[in-house]
Each structure stands twice: as structure tokens, then as C-alpha cells.
Amino acid sequence: MRTSEAQPVVAAVDGSRSHPVTLDLAADEAARRGVPLNVLHVWPGQYTGRYRCRGPVPGETDGRRLLDAATRRARQRAPWLPVRAELVTGSPAGILAEHSETASLVVIGRRDEGPGRPGWGSTAAYLARHSRSPLLVQRGNGLRTGPVVLAVTGPDGPAPAVRRAFEEADLAGVRLVALGVWQPGGGQDGRQARRQLTELLAGWAARFPRVRVEPLVVAEPELPYTLGRASRRGRLLIAAAGQRGWFAELVRGVPGPGQSPVLLVPPVSFSAAVAGR
């Protein structure tokens, strides 16, 4: 049986202007977990499937040069970190979904769909629904300050996402803001929603006594604005991933610069506690 210590962090590089920041984030995550870093570049090659590249296809040599540069950067970032580079052919979304089955974390960069159309791109949108490991989407300039923000999308709150939020806040030594939602006119009021959120967090707070928890409940119509503000002021935004991926769809539309990374945690997470616990 595989252990979490043997599961690598997988980072995808594509040559975009933002990929060095994504690579640095992945190297940092692998180093603090004490696991290897696998750097992937998906070269289109002769792939002719649905998600094939529509523009000029770079050569295989270009892909290997990109991987060489990425490997050097990762080793400069963390000289002790085992780094493995791999050039693969196919659909980026499909390849990364396969690698997520044996990864502790998959790290990718956000790729906007066009001017005035904020989004993550098709690869991130696919992985938000199909990744078997937690998915970290880098969206900003690499600066990570402020609290960890957890979006609790229901009264039960999937345990892997809640636990991961407490772990991240504990490791960073910052407070955890737990964001709950209630629906006006849906048979529930804000006080009831806050009580449910507080009860959900109580057990985890006892296990992580160093983490200061701030429950925050907003009406559903206020959620997009609140998420946008949290994304600009927090260091990390965490939510549960699922087949419907409604939260991922909402976060994809949050506009504005300086957004924090988003961590989507599947209901059954293969990753264990971060290194040091």
C-alpha cells in the first residue's frame, strides 16, 4: 500500500508567462511535505483528440528545453528536493487526471479564457471535477498572505476539505476563516446557519488548538462578492471538489488581480496530513 510520503507533488508547466510562479508554488509544497516533485509537460505530438492544440504545435525539442529550465528552477528553489521531469503526449487534462491517482497534490496555473472573460481554462475546469488528489490552482503573483479561507458548502462539510483547511492554517500559523452560506427564504435563517457552522468546526478546533477560527455566514446572493474579497485578502481558498463542481464554477468567475491560490479537495482524499504532523 502506498504511503502519503511516497506520493509526489505533480506540477504542470506549459511555457506560459505565469508558469514559473506555478512551479515555485509546487516546489514549495513538495519541500514542506518532504515528497518528490514531478514536473510534467504535455507535448501535443500526434495527439488528435478533442482537446488538441488549435494553433502551431511546438516541437518536442522545445518541450524538453522547457522541462530542463523548469528542473533547474525547482532545484534552485529547493536544492535538496528530488525533482523528476517527464515529457508526455496527449491531452493535458487526461494526463494530469491519470497522474492525480498517485499524487499527493496536483499544481497547475490558471489560464484566462480571454480579455474580460475570467476563468481557469479547460484543463483546470476538467480537473476540478475529476482529479483524485487535491488540486491547487495558482492564480495570482505568488504572494501568499492573510488567513486561510474555507468555503463550507453545506451543513455537513466534507471532512477532507475541513481537515485540510485546519492543517494549512496550523502550518502557516494564521487564522482560519470558515465561510458558510444560507439561502434567504429557504427555511433557514442566518443564525441557524451560523450555529450549524460553529458545530461543524468545534470538533476540528479541538484537534487543532493553535488555530484561531472565525466563522462567517453570508446570504447566498452575497457569496460572489465575499469570495472575491476573500480571494484578494487571503493566502489560500479551500473548498470541497465534486462531480457538480458548482463552487469551482463560481470561483472561476471571480475577477480581479492578486487572487490567492485555490485548493479543491476531493471527497475522498488520497493525501494525508501535511509533513510535520
Side-chain angles (χ1 to χ4, degrees), residues 37 45 75 96 127 199 201 239 247 266 268:
L37 172 65
R75 286 174 175 160
L96 289 170
L127 290 173
E199 291 173 354
L201 300 171
F247 177 79
V268 180

Side-chain angles (χ1 to χ4, degrees), residues 37-160:
L37 172 65
N38 286 3
V39 183
L40 298 182
H41 174 62
V42 183
W43 178 60
Q46 302 303 313
Y47 173 71
T48 58
R50 177 181 177 185
Y51 300 105
R52 66 187 180 278
C53 178
R54 302 296 180 180
V57 178
E60 183 176 356
T61 301
D62 296 324
R64 296 196 180 281
R65 288 174 179 167
L66 176 64
L67 280 175
D68 288 342
T71 300
R72 289 195 300 270
R73 184 182 182 95
R75 286 174 175 160
Q76 290 173 351
R77 185 83 175 183
W80 62 90
L81 183 66
V83 181
R84 178 173 177 262
E86 184 177 0
L87 182 72
V88 292
T89 303
S91 157
I95 294 294
L96 289 170
E98 291 177 6
H99 278 75
S100 74
E101 296 182 1
T102 55
S104 61
L105 180 71
V106 173
V107 184
I108 61 175
R110 164 181 175 155
R111 173 168 286 185
D112 285 342
E113 296 173 348
R117 298 173 57 194
W120 287 355
S122 59
T123 298
Y126 179 87
L127 290 173
R129 294 178 174 86
H130 298 286
S131 177
R132 301 292 300 278
S133 71
L135 173 69
L136 184 60
V137 182
Q138 171 64 38
R139 305 181 301 161
N141 56 10
L143 299 177
R144 302 180 69 179
T145 59
V148 170
V149 180
L150 167 68
V152 180
T153 56
D156 296 328

Side-chain angles (χ1 to χ4, degrees), residues 106-219:
V106 173
V107 184
I108 61 175
R110 164 181 175 155
R111 173 168 286 185
D112 285 342
E113 296 173 348
R117 298 173 57 194
W120 287 355
S122 59
T123 298
Y126 179 87
L127 290 173
R129 294 178 174 86
H130 298 286
S131 177
R132 301 292 300 278
S133 71
L135 173 69
L136 184 60
V137 182
Q138 171 64 38
R139 305 181 301 161
N141 56 10
L143 299 177
R144 302 180 69 179
T145 59
V148 170
V149 180
L150 167 68
V152 180
T153 56
D156 296 328
V162 178
R163 172 171 180 151
R164 188 60 171 263
F166 273 92
E167 290 173 347
E168 294 290 343
D170 189 38
L171 186 63
V174 299
R175 73 185 191 278
L176 170 63
V177 177
L179 177 62
V181 184
W182 70 282
Q183 296 180 345
Q188 182 190 53
D189 60 28
R191 288 177 297 180
Q192 181 183 2
R194 182 181 177 86
R195 183 171 62 255
Q196 291 176 340
L197 179 61
T198 301
E199 291 173 354
L200 168 67
L201 300 171
W204 293 102
R207 299 174 64 178
F208 293 87
R210 295 187 301 176
V211 176
R212 180 162 60 94
V213 185
E214 297 179 9
L216 174 64
V217 175
V218 299

